[in-house]
Amino acid sequence: MSVNDSKAEVKSVFIAAGCNRIVNNVSWGASGLVSFGAQNAVAIFCPKPAQILTTLPGHKAAVNCTHWLPSNKFAFRAKHLERHYLLSGDADGTIILWELSVADNKWRLVLQMPQSHKKGVTCITSFMVSQSNAIFATSSSDGTVCVWDAVFPTTSGGECKLTCLETLMVGPRPMVTLSLAQLPGNTGLIALAMGGLDNKIYLYCGERTGKFVRACEVKGHTDWIRSLDFSLPIFSGELDSILLVSSSQDKGIRIWKLTLRGSLTNIEGTHKRGEISLASYIEGPVFVAGSFSYQISLESLLIGHEDWVYSVQWQPPSVAAEEEVGFYQPQSILSASMDKTMMIWQPERKTGIWMNVVTVGELSHCALGFYGGHWSSDARSILAHGYGGSFHMWKNIGVSSDNWQPQKVPSGHFAPVMDITWARCGEYMLSVSHDQTTRIFAPWYNQDPQSNGDSWHEIARPQVHGHDINCAAIIQGKGNHRFVSGAEEKVARVFEAPLSFLKTLHHATTSEQSSFPEDVQADVQVLGANMSALGLSQKPIYVNATHEIQDNPGNDGLDTLESVPDAVPVALTEPPIEDQLAWHTLWPESHKLYGHGNELFSLCCDHEGKLVASSCKAQSATVAEIWLWQVGPWKAVGRLQSHSLTVTQMEFSHDDNLLLAVSRDRQFSVFKINRGTNEIYYDLIERREAHKRIIWACSWNPFGHEFATGSRDKTVKIWGVEKTYSVKQLLTLPLFSSSVNALSWVGLERQRNHGLLAVGMETGLLQIWSLQVERGYDSIPTPGVTAAPIIRLDPFMCHVSAVNRLAWKNRENNENCTSVQLASCGADNCVRLYEVTVH
């Protein structure tokens, strides 16, 4: 079979991503799915398996808001829908409408709305008039609020009709929260409440056809308004009313009641607008909309949070509610605050006084509060998203009384992910990010027979640092799990797995490769690690250490910079939640490697686990040296000079005899590494200007001394190192559409010297090429390479920003297997895992 005959399939196995740290970013739809912004992508996750299903490419700036049509509030109107819709708005003011086809779970970009906002979108809210008709409003930092009418097709293949009903100029202080409702009584009038930076709630009223007029303003809060939500109509006696809940940075929540006072032309005579008596204003402002008058009064003031209240939301009506009978609006409100808690508020049965009936929260030292809280459509679950890009979910598993228990949720980095690497036997992958964390993702053996195999989860966070982390290398070879990481500092740090992690990994997988020898467990005397006060070094907690309680009367139990609470490392028997990950899964730091003059940029380890190479950011030849470190004693055994600017990536050949380095100076270098008994000898055998722009990536052929280089000049070149140690160019792949940022070469068949080359680009797109190296003979001394593209991944499967690193799972133990796993990480905050099957 020739290279050109190779066919392959690729499927997405796992996506990890953190939530953008902004209010109004998350929406829980009537579809049962949750949407959120992850950098420039819209990510969709399913709460039941706690997995991100897909990411939607289309935005060119960070996604600020997402909003389902219908949202969970209108789930009772969304029975048996064939299509659900989703709105997303970004930091440039662009709004995109997406369609999800329920039958085949396929997404499509319906349309990008005409440029309505010139600055970032701050809020999207909607009101479902019917199953196929919605009114929605969008607000922006440019000081405008737009109201739209959307008509969805009732048959497949139909088009969506969008009409802009009104654009309201709200002045220099932008609105950050909106809510829409139908005014009480069958008036057909729409109310739009908005709040923002001037502490007032503004109420606009209009008809379905447009023309919204400011009806009144409501004062009460003493700081910025952060969230508004209208209830659905509440039937109490003769007067129809709706409730509006508002929350603010003044830490308070207010419930306002909008009541229909009557028609201006009623039986008793014609009232003119000017004749509404002063007495009627005692309870609150009276306003006129159309031919009806309404009154707003303060129903209740809820005090309980100790910090800004970022979101409030009415409990959605039950899905079982029937349209004919009328739905029941539960008297229940969920609030989320920067004080790290979410609260459920309900009125007491006897007195009607609103009380806090449930409080849930993250009590860890590191969580910095919640940006938003959301109900599931059945109100059995609540979801928060927080400052650390993390989700937190609780489910009410109580039967007769409430019992809210934390649930598994997806997790991931909330800043660009810079490097990813596989454990030596492929049990897990480790990623590092500018969010200052190192995370480990692994498949967790699924005991549920109905599930399709193992599901991947974040199982540990070995490093939580005080600097952005740029690179990492897992130490190969025998012994305990170790890795080296390099951050925006001049020192590389070495970490060693504690006993709690080894046991957790043993629980996570049932395969033989995870049955750790007893002697390894006996050798590991460290149970876990504690965070230092400044968040730089992580100190070990020993297995036999006695837990001392320090008597410090002056502290009064408060966390200060000097006193960080102790971690409690334990072997986990199920995938951990955020609270455990952030605090109790750290690895102890065993060594620091001093030597570089600038911030670390790249690291790699040889395949024997004897040497680690490191490089740093550099503007001169002396600083651009590559340092070699001996694993174990961790002493510097070499300083390799070749480049004049930053070395961007390094890799040892698979026989560990050669070290390849590529640099910003557009050159690559190949060093010969000779290992003596006590010393390391090295020679520069080739340095060559290989590309016209920065070389970002390099990768060796696992079966030989051929390597690939990828550059900003949009090219990938294949090179061969001959027996005489001269380097020849073998092939240049056709020009790519954008800068090549990442490469990884995996061997499929040693006999034919056949493998796959994964290519990651600045646009986030991925391609996989089939490569076959023809060995040189006496008559034809130079080897040749045949290459063919076998997969160009669908943009919906790819990253939406630059790919930073690609890594194939090591498959030396199983060369006959036709499927192989590829890990990738990128500037879109995502870690992705693909399974590639070659036929």
Side-chain angles (χ1 to χ4, degrees), residues 604-605 607 613 649-654 658-662 698-701 743-745:
C604 75
C605 177
H607 298 83
Q649 194 179 355
M650 303 168 292
E651 194 174 292
F652 284 93
S653 63
H654 283 252
L658 301 173
L659 173 65
L660 168 66
V662 293
C698 63
S699 187
W700 284 99
N701 173 11
L743 292 173
S744 187
W745 195 333

Side-chain angles (χ1 to χ4, degrees), residues 343-554:
M343 293 182 180
I344 297 176
W345 306 81
Q346 291 171 357
E348 234 179 14
R349 281 190 184 164
K350 290 180 183 172
T351 61
I353 296 170
W354 285 78
M355 304 289 285
N356 163 24
V357 292
V358 175
T359 303
V360 293
E362 293 295 311
L363 302 174
S364 67
H365 178 75
C366 42
L368 276 169
F370 295 149
Y371 279 137
H374 301 267
W375 293 96
S376 63
S377 48
D378 65 357
R380 298 291 292 178
S381 300
I382 52 177
L383 176 79
H385 67 107
Y387 181 80
S390 54
F391 287 105
H392 311 261
M393 190 162 85
W394 289 267
K395 189 173 183 181
N396 187 3
I397 58 170
V399 182
S400 53
S401 60
D402 282 359
N403 179 11
W404 292 87
Q405 291 298 319
Q407 302 294 305
K408 284 185 308 210
V409 281
S411 64
H413 295 283
F414 57 87
V417 191
M418 303 311 292
D419 203 352
I420 192 160
T421 176
W422 283 94
R424 54 179 182 255
C425 298
E427 309 98 310
Y428 58 83
M429 48 190 185
L430 178 141
S431 60
V432 298
S433 162
H434 280 176
D435 69 4
Q436 308 188 344
T437 65
T438 300
R439 302 179 190 231
I440 286 178
F441 301 96
W444 199 282
Y445 175 67
N446 215 321
Q447 290 168 337
D448 181 3
Q450 293 182 337
S451 65
N452 351 332
D454 301 352
S455 58
W456 282 74
H457 299 275
E458 183 180 350
I459 65 161
R461 208 167 289 172
Q463 186 184 8
V464 177
H465 203 40
H467 294 292
D468 294 1
I469 309 174
N470 291 327
C471 50
I474 287 181
I475 308 301
Q476 305 299 314
K478 295 187 173 69
N480 193 7
H481 298 255
R482 288 173 293 178
F483 75 90
V484 189
S485 75
E488 292 284 321
E489 52 180 348
K490 299 175 186 179
V491 51
R493 299 171 186 270
V494 184
F495 296 85
E496 190 157 332
L499 197 56
S500 58
F501 173 78
L502 299 181
K503 289 181 175 175
T504 297
L505 191 60
H506 188 63
H507 280 300
T509 172
T510 56
S511 58
E512 292 164 26
Q513 62 195 17
S514 72
S515 52
F516 300 103
E518 289 299 321
D519 57 337
V520 172
Q521 300 214 12
D523 288 346
V524 178
Q525 293 300 309
V526 177
L527 186 62
N530 265 325
M531 176 74 72
S532 72
L534 293 174
L536 293 175
S537 286
Q538 291 166 196
K539 304 286 189 286
I541 301 171
Y542 291 98
V543 173
N544 300 321
T546 53
H547 193 71
E548 296 172 13
I549 298 170
Q550 295 175 337
D551 189 25
N552 185 4

Side-chain angles (χ1 to χ4, degrees), residues 476-734:
Q476 305 299 314
K478 295 187 173 69
N480 193 7
H481 298 255
R482 288 173 293 178
F483 75 90
V484 189
S485 75
E488 292 284 321
E489 52 180 348
K490 299 175 186 179
V491 51
R493 299 171 186 270
V494 184
F495 296 85
E496 190 157 332
L499 197 56
S500 58
F501 173 78
L502 299 181
K503 289 181 175 175
T504 297
L505 191 60
H506 188 63
H507 280 300
T509 172
T510 56
S511 58
E512 292 164 26
Q513 62 195 17
S514 72
S515 52
F516 300 103
E518 289 299 321
D519 57 337
V520 172
Q521 300 214 12
D523 288 346
V524 178
Q525 293 300 309
V526 177
L527 186 62
N530 265 325
M531 176 74 72
S532 72
L534 293 174
L536 293 175
S537 286
Q538 291 166 196
K539 304 286 189 286
I541 301 171
Y542 291 98
V543 173
N544 300 321
T546 53
H547 193 71
E548 296 172 13
I549 298 170
Q550 295 175 337
D551 189 25
N552 185 4
N555 193 9
D556 293 336
L558 294 173
D559 290 344
T560 64
L561 193 63
E562 292 79 25
S563 76
V564 178
D566 281 348
V568 186
V570 291
L572 301 162
T573 54
E574 59 180 10
I577 57 170
E578 179 69 19
D579 210 10
Q580 294 163 313
L581 285 168
W583 208 243
H584 305 303
T585 60
L586 295 170
W587 289 19
E589 187 182 301
S590 60
H591 293 87
K592 291 183 180 70
L593 310 182
Y594 294 100
H596 284 290
N598 278 335
E599 297 88 351
L600 269 288
F601 195 83
S602 174
L603 283 163
C604 75
C605 177
D606 69 356
H607 298 83
E608 259 190 295
K610 300 284 177 63
L611 284 179
V612 167
S614 62
S615 73
C616 71
K617 293 180 182 177
Q619 299 284 338
S620 65
T622 48
V623 183
E625 290 177 329
I626 297 166
W627 285 58
L628 292 180
W629 309 87
Q630 190 177 349
V631 173
W634 294 111
K635 64 178 187 189
V637 291
R639 293 168 67 173
L640 283 56
Q641 284 201 346
S642 173
H643 295 283
S644 56
L645 294 172
T646 307
V647 172
T648 52
Q649 194 179 355
M650 303 168 292
E651 194 174 292
F652 284 93
S653 63
H654 283 252
D655 59 7
D656 287 338
N657 289 335
L658 301 173
L659 173 65
L660 168 66
V662 293
S663 164
R664 295 185 85 100
D665 63 11
R666 307 172 185 180
Q667 299 182 329
F668 69 75
S669 302
V670 181
F671 297 90
K672 176 139 180 42
I673 309 290
N674 296 310
R675 297 152 203 261
T677 45
N678 294 321
E679 289 197 10
I680 300 290
Y681 304 98
Y682 45 88
D683 292 307
L684 174 64
I685 59 169
E686 181 77 60
R687 180 177 70 219
R688 186 179 301 185
E689 183 157 331
H691 291 270
K692 297 189 179 76
R693 306 287 298 276
I694 293 171
I695 307 177
W696 281 123
C698 63
S699 187
W700 284 99
N701 173 11
F703 298 148
H705 281 173
E706 296 80 32
F707 62 88
T709 57
S711 161
R712 186 180 275 171
D713 66 9
K714 305 181 185 178
T715 62
V716 172
K717 296 183 180 180
I718 313 292
W719 310 80
V721 183
E722 299 184 334
K723 288 177 181 168
T724 56
Y725 292 118
S726 61
V727 177
K728 289 202 169 164
Q729 184 178 338
L730 306 179
L731 184 68
T732 301
L733 297 188

Side-chain angles (χ1 to χ4, degrees), residues 79 318-327:
K79 295 173 193 167
S318 163
V319 180
E322 290 297 329
E323 292 264 348
E324 298 83 50
V325 184
F327 45 81

Side-chain angles (χ1 to χ4, degrees), residues 1 6-9 748 754 756 790 818-820 836-839:
M1 185 178 74
S6 296
K7 288 195 174 65
E9 291 169 8
L748 287 180
H754 175 224
L756 300 178
I790 55 170
T818 55
S819 76
V820 59
V836 180
T837 308
V838 182
H839 303 301

